[in-house]
């Protein structure tokens, strides 16, 4: 499924893509964005943190991660897949209960009130 | 009087109640060298007024009488009519004069009797003296029911007495709750539940307009301020007390604007030779009506008479008592910057702590049904809390307060903490039931069960009932917190009662609770972030990330025109259609961005959300019933439609399914539903707790042969009781099986109102019914809610390319997804 190169992609290797205005995001919910052929799930957490993960739920194969419930596990921001509720870290992309299963994470930033992600 | 009294000093005490007794007993014990004369208007010496009710339970007047010290001259049955301060003499109504050097007024108080017509009729009483009780007992012999005017501490005492005399007993209280001076609204509700469970009838927010006589000229009924009538041959006024300060007033002593003889810290009145103690005294602007402070005042006055310098600096009016078998306690302040509440409606326990704005200092608390916090926390009032407020109230959550081994945890059965701890360790107990069986703790009033749970936890037993890592509370506990505190946001709830920012377990639970209590549209504001994907998109997610659409078809009854609309919508959007088990039609395969357009068509044709996506009422299935069926005995389809429209949109701990069958042949399969109704010749039988699914279960008969209006009332209560108290994702079947007392308990609650909550449950359902709006109509009319229905935020017109269908039996089906390398 995922490869290290995808998981640890950095902005230096790619270019920033504008995804939406920051104001379009709702705290503790995600949106899906199409960046090239990649589907990216973008999340805004309660404390203002921004995270980008692959939108594909590795357990079901459906592109639905952006529709999961955002919360915390032991203080770490997480999202639960809406399909079968596996919980993934927004920071590392790793499944909390099964760390061998990882979804890609992408660099994300706010530039002039616009949210940008970088997909290598 | 700053020097020691001389031999021959004459102390005259007017009034002989407990405070006067404490004063003379104190003087005698300290060797007062002069003469003491006491005037009492009752024909007997002072007696223990706090234990007055026990007189009716068989204790004799002698038992209650306080011993009179030697050398005290008693003048009983005498009424002092005047005080001559110039000549320092009191005069009785028989004209006898008694000179004094020191006069102590201990005239006590008189029950307040509101000036209503008929208040002097035979059969009307106050509850103050042994003579009053004798008269009440005599009158009770010829009355069937009684009413107590006043729901305060003394009113409940009086009500307990009437009940003990075998009268059907009513309590009429002007305020909005019982014991308004000791408990707040939430505590009052719990207290009321206890009182009503004993068979007493409580009328709050009710005043008295008149007492009306019967043909025999005796009190026969109380007319309420609303004009209702309560039949009662015995009326007891217990609506507060008024200090008896007439003597002081007439002789020119200072009295308070609202009554009470003004005294200084030494209990001395405006005349240096005259003291006042007890319920007639206004000390520091307060008239104290509790025994403790009155005793302290008597001791202070005695000390001053003996030449001492003691002073009365006000008193703690904390109260802990057991009335009608219910523990009620109030300590410290009754308000504060922050408060924390514990409420267990099933056990009837309410506990609240008031703390400073930094949550560090304990200001006070209220307990109903379990006064343990009073015992452990009273020493901490005004000081740093010995733990976090919630820990102190929710002992299962790892309270840090140290309760010593010799502390009594079960007062009913006199079981100490040490005894429970030893039992847990030696018998290897693992749950509360084990502790009950082994020690008898918690088997009587049950108020110590939270403490038992805590001792189990301290002993290393996992008694976890918390929802998740963010809330150490059960869903039912959260529900009560949200209800009682009026919490409307997850953020506030988790900040005050949880940790972190929630998860996919607790957020939908809180969303459901907020929705059950009516907090607007489920996608309004912060609530939107709490919803599971199904509720968030108001549709059911399917395995490929598409959604299904289920319009409501109440009772399974649908017009041909509406059937055609469903067909056209399915055809135009390319959806797969299937008839569901709940007698409606499922449209599958809609992409998220199609949902608003699909629903715009459906709403325009008169459809509304079927809530197939919610933990909510799904359908009320029905057969055609007596309208068409030659066997039918009632109109099952009509009732099913009415019920589905009544309960549509009701969010609950899990989905709710229902059915109505028009005869005993049961074609609607009602007994497999959460609530099922089967027609009889005489009305409707109501079955509850049925289930299909993993663990099929036939529903149990709750009540038989009800007319439709009563049936609806019982279902209202049943559903709301379930909504309030069930665990997360617990269907009614498991809920009923888990109820302590099972079906009998459920019957007691929803049929006999044993918890006194039925009016609340019905009102809550009425609010739900009145506030219902179609979620989909509201969504398509609100651009802000529609923003979420896009495939990609940066490419809203582009469908998710991963969603692909193939054809099977002339309809679409998702192309199976190949999952590589994933352990599922």
């Amino acid at each position: 499924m995922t490869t290290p190169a995808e998981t640890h992609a950095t902005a230096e290797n790619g270019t920033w893509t504008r995804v939406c205005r920051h104001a379009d995001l709702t705290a503790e919910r995600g949106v899906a964005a199409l960046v090239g052929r990649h589907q990216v799930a973008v999340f805004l957490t309660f404390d203002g943190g921004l995270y980008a993960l692959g939108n594909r739920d590795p357990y079901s194969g459906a592109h639905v991660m952006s529709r999961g419930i955002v919360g915390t596990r032991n203080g770490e921001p997480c999202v639960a897949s809406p399909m079968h509720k596996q919980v993934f870290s927004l920071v590392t992309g790793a499944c909390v209960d099964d760390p061998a299963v990882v979804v890609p994470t992408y660099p994300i930033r706010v530039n002039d009130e616009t949210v940008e992600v970088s997909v290598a | 009087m700053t020097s020691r009294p001389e031999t021959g000093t004459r102390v005259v005490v007017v009034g002989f109640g407990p405070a006067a007794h404490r004063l003379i007993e104190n003087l005698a014990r300290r060797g007062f060298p002069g003469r003491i004369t006491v005037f009492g208007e009752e024909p007997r010496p002072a007696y223990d007024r706090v234990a007055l009710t026990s007189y009716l339970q068989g204790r004799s007047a002698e038992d209650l009488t306080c011993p009179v010290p030697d050398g005290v001259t008693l003048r009983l049955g005498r009424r002092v009519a005047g005080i001559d301060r110039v000549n320092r003499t009191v005069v009785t109504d028989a004209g006898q004069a008694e000179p004094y050097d020191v006069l102590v007024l201990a005239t006590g108080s008189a029950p307040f009797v509101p000036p209503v017509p008929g208040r002097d009729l035979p059969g009307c009483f106050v509850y103050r003296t042994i003579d009053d009780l004798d008269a009440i007992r005599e009158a009770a012999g010829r009355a069937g029911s009684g009413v107590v005017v006043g729901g305060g501490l003394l009113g409940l005492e009086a009500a307990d007495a009437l009940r003990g005399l075998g009268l059907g007993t009513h309590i009429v209280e002007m305020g909005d709750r019982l014991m308004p001076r000791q408990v707040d609204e939430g505590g009052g509700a719990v207290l009321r539940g206890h009182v009503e469970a004993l068979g007493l009838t409580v009328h709050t927010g009710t005043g008295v307009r008149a007492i009306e006589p019967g043909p025999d000229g005796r009190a026969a009924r109380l007319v309420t301020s609303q004009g209702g009538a309560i039949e009662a041959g015995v009326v007891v006024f217990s609506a507060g007390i008024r200090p008896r300060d007439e003597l002081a007033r007439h002789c020119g002593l200072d009295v308070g604007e609202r009554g009470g003889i003004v005294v200084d810290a030494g209990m001395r009145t405006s005349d240096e030779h005259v003291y006042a103690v007890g319920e007639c005294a206004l000390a520091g602007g307060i008239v104290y009506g509790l025994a403790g402070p009155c005793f302290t005042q008597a001791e202070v006055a005695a000390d001053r008479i003996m030449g001492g310098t003691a002073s009365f600096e006000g008193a703690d009016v904390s109260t802990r008592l057991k009335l009608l078998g219910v523990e009620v306690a109030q300590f410290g302040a009754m308000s504060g910057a922050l408060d924390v509440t514990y409420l267990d409606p099933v056990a009837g326990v309410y506990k609240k702590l008031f703390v400073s704005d930094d949550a560090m200092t304990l200001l006070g608390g209220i307990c109903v049904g379990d006064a343990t916090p009073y015992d452990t926390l009273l020493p901490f009032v005004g000081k740093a809390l010995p733990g976090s407020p919630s820990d102190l109230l929710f002992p299962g959550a790892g309270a840090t307060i140290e309760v010593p081994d010799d502390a009594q945890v079960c007062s009913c059965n006199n079981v100490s903490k040490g005894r429970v701890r030893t039992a847990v360790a030696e018998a290897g107990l693992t749950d509360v039931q084990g502790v009950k069986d082994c020690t008898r703790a918690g088997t009587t009033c049950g108020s110590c069960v939270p403490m038992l749970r805590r001792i189990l936890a301290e002993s290393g037993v996992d008694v976890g009932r918390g929802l998740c890592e963010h809330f150490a509370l059960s869903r039912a506990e959260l529900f009560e917190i949200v209800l009682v505190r009026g919490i409307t946001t997850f953020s506030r709830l988790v900040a005050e009662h949880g940790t972190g920012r929630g998860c996919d377990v607790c957020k939908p639970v809180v969303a459901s609770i907020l929705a059950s209590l009516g907090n607007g549209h489920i996608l309004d504001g912060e609530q939107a972030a709490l919803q599971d994907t199904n509720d968030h998109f108001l549709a059911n997610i399917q395995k490929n990330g598409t959604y299904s659409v289920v319009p409501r078809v109440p009772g399974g009854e649908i017009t041909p025109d509406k059937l055609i609309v469903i067909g056209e919508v399915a055809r135009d959007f390319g959806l797969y259609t299937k008839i569901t088990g709940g007698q409606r039609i499922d449209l599958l395969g809609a992409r998220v961005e199609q949902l608003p357009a699909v629903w715009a068509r459906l709403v325009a044709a008169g459809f509304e959300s079927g809530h197939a996506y919610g933990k909510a009422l799904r359908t009320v299935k029905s057969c055609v019933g007596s309208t068409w069926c030659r066997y039918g005995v009632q109109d099952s389809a009509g009732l099913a439609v009415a019920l589905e429209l009544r309960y549509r949109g009701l969010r609950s701990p899990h989905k709710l399914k229902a059915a109505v069958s028009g005869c005993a042949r049961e074609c609607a399969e009602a007994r497999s539903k959460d609530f099922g109704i089967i027609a009889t010749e005489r009305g409707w039988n109501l079955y509850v707790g049925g289930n299909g699914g993993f663990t099929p279960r036939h529903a149990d008969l709750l009540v038989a042969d009800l007319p439709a209006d009563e049936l609806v009332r019982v279902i209202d209560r049943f559903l709301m009781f379930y909504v309030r108290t069930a665990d997360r994702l617990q269907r009614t079947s498991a809920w009923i099986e888990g109820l302590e007392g099972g079906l009998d308990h459920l019957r007691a609650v929803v049929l006999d109102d044993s918890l006194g909550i039925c009016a609340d449950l019905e009102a809550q359902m009425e609010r739900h019914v009145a506030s219902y709006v179609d979620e989909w109509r509201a969504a398509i009319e609100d651009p802000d809610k529609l923003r979420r229905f896009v495939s990609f935020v940066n490419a809203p017109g582009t469908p998710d390319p991963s969603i692909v269908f193939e054809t099977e039996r002339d309809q679409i089906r998702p192309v199976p997804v190949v999952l590589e390398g994933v352990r599922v």
Side-chain angles (χ1 to χ4, degrees):
Chain A
M1 41 161 292
T2 47
T3 68
E6 273 181 309
T7 309
H8 301 292
T10 61
E12 286 74 43
N13 301 328
T15 52
W16 291 102
T17 305
R18 306 177 81 177
V19 164
C20 61
R21 291 175 304 145
H22 189 271
D24 292 333
L25 298 177
T26 303
E28 299 192 318
R29 283 246 76 119
V31 296
L34 194 58
V35 181
R37 60 183 179 86
H38 295 275
Q39 288 197 33
V40 179
V42 173
F43 300 95
L44 173 64
T45 56
F46 185 74
D47 57 9
L50 276 175
Y51 301 90
L53 299 186
N55 197 32
R56 184 175 182 272
D57 168 22
Y59 289 93
S60 66
H63 290 70
V64 293
M65 293 304 294
S66 65
R67 303 179 206 158
I69 287 181
V70 177
T72 55
R73 276 281 182 97
N74 297 316
E76 178 153 323
C78 287
V79 62
S81 162
M83 203 62 79
H84 293 118
K85 314 297 189 239
Q86 292 89 356
V87 175
F88 295 83
S89 164
L90 292 180
V91 180
T92 66
C95 178
V96 171
D97 299 316
D98 190 358
V101 178
V102 181
V103 295
T105 59
Y106 302 104
I108 184 166
R109 71 177 184 185
V110 180
N111 184 16
D112 191 23
E113 295 184 20
T114 299
V115 178
E116 299 179 339
V117 296
S118 172
V119 177
Chain B
M1 289 282 150
T2 49
S3 56
R4 281 193 60 83
E6 295 162 10
T7 312
T9 299
R10 295 162 300 181
V11 170
V12 170
V13 181
V14 181
F16 198 17
H21 180 267
R22 178 62 65 98
L23 177 105
I24 61 170
E25 187 258 350
N26 207 275
L27 287 176
R29 192 162 45 76
R30 295 172 63 164
F32 176 71
R35 286 173 48 198
I36 301 173
T37 305
V38 182
F39 287 89
E41 72 181 9
E42 287 188 67
R44 55 179 63 85
Y47 48 88
D48 181 0
R49 227 187 279 284
V50 175
L52 196 57
T53 303
S54 66
Y55 174 69
L56 289 178
Q57 292 156 357
R59 277 182 79 183
S60 67
E62 290 68 39
D63 275 352
L64 293 171
T65 301
C66 310
V68 181
D70 289 341
V72 173
T73 306
L74 297 184
R75 299 198 190 284
L76 300 178
R78 314 283 175 85
R79 191 185 173 92
V80 171
I83 299 166
D84 178 351
R85 285 167 52 201
V86 177
N87 296 304
R88 292 190 207 155
T89 306
V90 300
V91 182
T92 68
D93 54 2
Q96 292 170 308
E98 184 76 34
Y100 65 80
D101 299 304
V102 176
L103 178 65
V104 181
L105 298 175
T107 43
S109 66
F112 170 68
V113 177
V116 295
R119 63 180 178 151
D120 296 326
L121 288 172
C124 291
F125 305 95
V126 296
Y127 195 85
R128 172 90 186 165
T129 66
I130 285 181
D131 286 351
D132 292 334
L133 266 57
D134 282 334
I136 290 171
R137 172 152 52 193
E138 197 267 329
R142 53 179 132 181
S145 58
V147 58
V148 175
V149 179
L153 195 157
L154 287 171
L156 293 188
E157 278 265 0
D160 195 12
L162 295 192
R163 175 174 159 264
L165 290 170
L167 298 181
T169 304
H170 296 257
I171 302 170
V172 171
E173 164 61 39
M174 188 89 88
D176 63 355
R177 59 183 184 273
L178 296 173
M179 295 187 74
R181 294 178 67 167
Q182 282 81 22
V183 302
D184 62 358
E185 198 181 337
V190 171
L191 177 59
R192 181 184 184 130
H194 282 288
V195 172
E196 291 182 338
L198 291 170
L200 284 77
T201 311
V202 179
H203 312 260
T204 50
T206 302
V208 181
R209 185 182 290 172
I211 311 297
E212 292 182 350
D216 59 357
R218 299 180 59 87
R221 73 192 63 82
L222 178 150
V223 181
T224 68
S225 51
Q226 289 93 342
I230 298 168
E231 300 299 320
V234 171
V235 180
V236 177
F237 289 100
S238 190
I241 56 170
R242 295 289 181 272
R244 293 183 61 179
D245 54 13
E246 320 86 74
L247 280 175
R249 226 177 257 276
H250 290 143
C251 69
L253 294 175
D254 289 351
V255 294
E257 260 178 47
R258 300 179 58 198
I261 306 165
V262 176
V263 294
D264 63 14
M267 302 313 294
R268 200 179 310 215
T269 67
S270 52
D271 180 333
E272 61 170 341
H273 302 288
V274 183
Y275 294 83
V277 298
E279 291 179 329
C280 65
L282 183 67
I286 297 172
V287 171
Y288 290 89
L290 295 173
C294 292
F295 287 153
T296 308
Q297 292 178 353
E299 285 163 15
V300 167
D303 184 70
R304 291 297 180 115
I305 291 168
M306 293 300 292
T309 57
S311 65
F312 178 77
E313 306 287 0
D316 181 19
V317 292
S318 297
T319 331
R320 182 199 205 283
L321 46 101
K322 197 165 183 172
L323 276 174
L324 293 154
V326 188
E327 286 187 355
V328 178
Q330 184 268 318
F331 55 101
M334 272 185 72
S335 62
L338 298 174
D339 51 75
V340 183
T341 306
Y342 171 97
L343 202 156
D344 180 344
V346 180
V349 176
Y350 176 89
K351 294 181 280 188
K352 186 175 212 169
L353 293 186
F354 299 101
V355 298
S356 57
D357 55 5
D358 58 1
M360 299 296 284
T361 306
L362 178 65
L363 302 176
I366 295 168
C367 313
V368 176
D370 171 20
T372 350
Y374 178 92
D375 300 333
T376 49
L377 294 179
L378 185 60
F380 293 97
V381 172
K383 303 194 180 81
L385 280 163
S388 89
S390 51
D391 283 355
L392 297 174
L393 287 184
F394 303 104
T400 51
I401 185 168
E402 199 53 51
V403 177
D405 265 356
D406 57 358
Q408 196 181 52
V409 294
C410 173
S411 52
C412 301
N413 299 292
N414 190 23
V415 182
S416 69
K417 179 189 174 187
R419 167 90 185 87
V420 174
R421 246 165 38 92
T422 309
V424 169
E426 289 179 356
L429 305 178
T430 55
D431 57 14
V432 169
Q433 192 55 46
V435 175
K436 285 181 173 181
D437 294 344
C438 193
T439 66
R440 298 202 57 222
T443 54
T444 307
C445 75
S447 61
C448 58
V449 166
M451 174 62 86
L452 301 181
R453 206 174 273 140
R454 172 175 155 192
I455 297 170
L456 279 165
E458 282 176 4
S459 307
V461 178
D462 180 12
V463 287
R465 61 195 167 131
L467 215 48
C468 60
E469 70 173 65
H470 306 100
F471 288 100
L473 303 165
S474 68
R475 180 191 171 280
E477 288 165 339
L478 277 178
F479 192 99
E480 290 305 322
I481 288 171
V482 170
L483 176 66
V484 171
R485 305 279 318 273
I487 290 174
T488 56
T489 64
F490 176 84
S491 286
R492 181 174 162 209
L493 187 65
V494 79
E496 294 179 6
H497 301 279
T499 55
R501 279 304 301 175
C503 63
D504 58 301
V505 172
C506 60
K507 280 185 167 174
V509 166
V510 175
S512 166
I513 292 170
L514 292 174
S516 292
L517 290 170
N519 280 281
H521 199 282
I522 63 166
L523 299 180
D524 279 344
E526 198 196 76
Q527 277 189 75
L530 308 178
Q531 310 295 345
D532 190 64
T533 192
N534 284 3
D535 278 308
H536 193 232
F537 291 105
L538 307 171
N540 292 47
I541 196 166
Q542 304 297 323
K543 65 188 298 178
N544 63 347
T546 62
Y547 289 83
S548 77
V549 170
V550 186
R552 184 167 300 289
V553 180
E557 188 182 271
I558 187 165
T559 62
D561 284 343
K562 281 190 162 177
L563 270 177
I564 288 166
V565 169
I566 288 183
E568 287 172 345
V569 168
R571 184 194 58 208
D572 295 352
F573 289 89
L575 307 176
Y576 167 87
T577 53
K578 189 171 191 312
I579 311 290
T580 73
Q583 299 186 334
R584 41 196 194 174
I585 300 170
D586 204 346
L587 291 71
L588 292 100
R591 295 188 307 274
V592 66
E593 70 273 17
Q594 292 179 306
L595 290 170
V598 167
W599 271 103
R601 293 268 299 270
L602 292 171
V603 167
F607 285 104
E608 54 184 32
S609 166
H611 295 98
Y613 48 82
K615 304 302 179 209
L617 179 86
R618 298 286 172 81
T619 75
V620 183
K621 184 175 173 178
S622 72
C623 63
V624 292
S626 58
T627 313
W628 290 91
C629 178
R630 63 204 157 111
Y631 299 114
V633 294
Q634 304 278 357
D635 175 16
S636 51
L639 180 66
V641 170
L643 292 176
E644 185 159 341
L645 294 180
R646 180 170 183 80
Y647 302 121
R648 63 187 163 178
L650 177 67
R651 288 300 200 289
S652 48
H654 208 316
K655 60 187 171 188
L656 281 168
K657 296 182 173 183
V660 184
S661 280
C663 79
R665 286 170 186 76
E666 241 283 70
C667 296
E669 299 166 317
R671 290 195 66 195
S672 67
K673 305 301 184 191
D674 293 284
F675 60 104
I677 296 124
I678 302 175
T680 71
E681 299 283 353
R682 289 175 298 279
W684 304 97
N685 285 355
L686 174 60
Y687 297 82
V688 294
N691 202 358
F694 275 126
T695 44
R697 181 181 189 273
H698 262 126
D700 297 310
L701 180 64
L702 185 71
V703 55
D705 294 328
L706 286 183
D709 56 341
E710 280 181 38
L711 173 79
V712 168
R713 210 153 57 107
V714 174
I715 299 173
D716 281 1
R717 296 171 174 186
F718 166 74
L719 289 179
M720 272 303 171
F721 188 45
Y722 166 66
V723 165
R724 275 196 188 191
T725 60
D727 280 339
R728 161 185 178 265
L729 300 185
Q730 186 180 39
R731 290 287 294 272
T732 56
S733 58
W735 171 66
I736 290 172
E737 285 178 357
L739 278 180
E740 206 160 312
L743 193 65
D744 287 339
H745 176 67
L746 179 63
R747 272 202 197 98
V749 172
V750 302
L751 300 179
D752 308 329
D753 200 8
S754 64
L755 296 178
I757 57 174
C758 284
D760 280 356
L761 299 176
E762 288 172 29
Q764 207 178 320
M765 186 62 84
E766 283 305 332
R767 280 195 294 278
H768 163 74
V769 173
S771 65
Y772 168 82
V773 289
D774 173 23
E775 280 168 2
W776 259 113
R777 174 184 287 274
I780 60 176
E781 288 171 353
D782 181 353
D784 202 49
K785 293 188 174 65
L786 288 181
R787 282 200 310 130
R788 74 198 74 237
F789 293 95
V790 291
S791 53
F792 300 106
V793 67
N794 59 343
T798 308
D800 176 352
S802 73
I803 296 174
V804 226
F805 298 104
E806 55 194 25
T807 302
E808 182 178 76
R809 294 187 297 277
D810 302 326
Q811 295 205 76
I812 60 161
R813 57 158 292 160
V815 173
V817 173
V818 181
L819 295 171
E820 291 165 15
V822 176
R823 292 165 286 151
V824 182

